[in-house]
Amino acid sequence: MSNIKDYKDVWVFAEQRGGVITPVVLELLGEGKKLAEEAGSKLCAVLMGENVKEMSDTLIAHGADKVYTADSPLLKNYTTDGYTSMMTEMIEAYKPEIVLYGATHIGRAFAPRVAARVNTGLTADCTKLEIDPEDKKLKQTRPAFGGNLMATIICPDSRPQMSTVRPGVMEKAEMDSTRKGEVISVDVKLAESDIRTKILEIVKSKKELVSLTDAEVIVSGGKGLGDPSGFELLKDLADSMGGVVGASRAAVDAGWIDHSNQVGQTGTTVKPKIYVACGISGAIQHVAGMHEADTIIAINKNPSAPIFELSDYGIVGDLYEVVPMMIDAFSAIE
């Protein structure tokens, strides 16, 4: 068994889909750089897929000192077996001290399996990471008990220290195209027989899926809309403000709008410049996903709605009267 002192460096799993680095990776690189500097180690990215080496330049430009690439046709599309086996081999070979994953569908699927194979812990859905100045342990903070308190978790006896991090809560790393880094090609020993699942076809949704994580303006609706047609009005407001439409879990559960629009603890954590909450009461699960917005505007008939305690601007009134006036006002701005 390896000694804890044998482990060094901060790793970021550089998730890519179809040759495009996912936005959360840039957030992880930004946070990982801070952690690496505090821990006195290097920031490294792990890139898996087919013909992925060209993406290494993007990762280096955003702060990575090293990029480990695992290139194989067997890694072109995500499979739990393939990614888990590859990441496990790399951790055992190079011994990182910290490994960060985005809390995406892929990160949530295989990070726990990697943790089990390398016999370490995993803290899920982290919203804050910091290095303990006394002993350099990673302090991992995440919401607990429905977001009513924040729990800080440490992994003192096992390495690597691993976390999945919610998209939209960390600052993205700035790009510096002059940066230089090292690219390390990892030998891929996977065989087709190692992967128990076979991808027959990838079908992309024809629905208009939104990118809540990157949006600067989000207009969200809740059960206070009364019926799903209210989201058409909110889309008009979002368009006039240059934003996208979000929703509360209650609206999603009612079948009024797709889950990709959901903001909250069980949806997407967002950090826009402006967040407009229409007909949303302000349940803690929703607030946990949007409370870091720069400016929050709430529209609700109920003057006692909890959302008003959080908002910067509160409008007590019928959203079907207020929103059209807002659309007219924003549309008049050239």
Side-chain angles (χ1 to χ4, degrees):
M1 183 176 178
S2 300
N3 191 306
I4 283 180
K5 294 180 180 179
D6 295 336
Y7 291 79
K8 61 180 180 178
D9 295 338
V10 176
W11 279 19
V12 166
F13 169 61
E15 180 180 335
Q16 59 84 23
R17 301 187 188 194
V20 179
I21 299 291
T22 55
V24 70
V25 174
L26 304 185
E27 297 177 29
L28 295 178
L29 289 171
E31 192 67 17
K33 193 67 176 176
K34 297 175 189 175
L35 298 175
E37 289 173 355
E38 291 176 30
S41 59
K42 291 185 177 181
L43 175 63
C44 309
V46 177
L47 191 54
M48 300 187 208
E50 184 179 28
N51 301 322
V52 294
K53 194 171 183 179
E54 290 183 3
M55 286 182 274
S56 300
D57 292 339
T58 300
L59 299 171
I60 291 170
H62 284 88
D65 300 306
K66 295 181 183 178
V67 179
Y68 294 93
T69 61
D71 202 310
S72 168
L74 294 175
L75 298 171
K76 179 180 180 180
N77 296 311
Y78 170 78
T79 61
T80 302
D81 287 335
Y83 273 50
T84 300
S85 296
M86 199 66 235
M87 183 61 103
T88 300
E89 286 182 20
M90 294 168 74
I91 288 173
E92 290 174 344
Y94 295 100
K95 295 182 172 54
E97 186 175 15
I98 295 170
V99 182
L100 307 179
Y101 309 79
T104 62
H105 295 303
I106 288 177
R108 287 172 169 166
F110 90 105
R113 291 171 169 83
V114 174
R117 291 198 188 185
V118 300
N119 196 31
T120 192
L122 174 73
T123 303
D125 281 348
C126 293
T127 56
K128 182 180 179 182
L129 300 170
E130 55 189 334
I131 299 293
D132 190 325
E134 292 185 7
D135 55 16
K136 303 298 182 183
K137 284 198 302 289
L138 180 64
K139 296 167 70 176
Q140 306 157 89
T141 302
R142 56 152 296 159
F145 294 101
N148 289 307
L149 60 83
M150 303 300 285
T152 298
I153 299 166
I154 59 172
C155 184
D157 302 320
S158 302
R159 292 295 182 272
Q161 302 163 95
M162 301 212 303
S163 311
T164 60
V165 179
R166 285 192 184 185
V169 299
M170 308 292 187
E171 295 291 337
K172 288 184 178 178
E174 294 184 3
M175 183 176 180
D176 179 2
S177 57
T178 65
R179 290 192 83 256
K180 303 295 181 184
E182 182 182 1
V183 180
I184 301 168
S185 295
V186 179
D187 186 24
V188 179
K189 300 175 183 177
L190 277 177
E192 198 165 345
S193 58
D194 296 328
I195 300 174
R196 293 170 293 178
T197 55
K198 185 176 182 180
I199 298 174
L200 300 178
E201 183 183 7
I202 296 176
V203 180
K204 294 186 178 181
S205 174
K206 294 181 180 179
K207 297 176 183 177
E208 183 183 356
L209 299 181
V210 299
S211 179
L212 293 170
T213 304
D214 297 323
E216 293 191 348
V217 177
I218 298 174
V219 179
S220 278
K223 285 297 289 290
L225 292 178
D227 61 68
S229 64
F231 279 105
E232 293 300 320
L233 182 64
L234 297 196
K235 188 178 187 305
D236 291 341
L237 177 58
D239 289 343
S240 71
M241 297 177 70
V244 300
V245 174
S248 69
R249 178 175 178 173
V252 172
D253 287 349
W256 293 357
I257 195 166
D258 191 80
H259 180 267
S260 65
N261 297 81
Q262 185 176 325
V263 174
Q265 194 170 24
T266 53
T268 301
T269 301
V270 298
K271 197 177 182 181
K273 290 183 178 179
I274 301 175
Y275 189 88
V276 185
C278 305
I280 294 175
S281 63
I284 189 67
Q285 290 84 356
H286 186 78
V287 168
M290 46 69 73
H291 71 281
E292 290 196 17
D294 292 347
T295 301
I296 299 171
I297 302 169
I299 306 169
N300 203 297
K301 282 183 178 179
N302 179 8
S304 301
I307 193 70
F308 287 127
E309 297 177 12
L310 183 69
S311 61
D312 299 286
Y313 300 95
I315 302 172
V316 178
D318 187 339
L319 67 91
Y320 287 100
E321 296 176 2
V322 175
V323 171
M325 290 189 286
M326 293 177 68
I327 292 171
D328 290 342
F330 284 111
S331 299
I333 301 173
E334 296 183 357

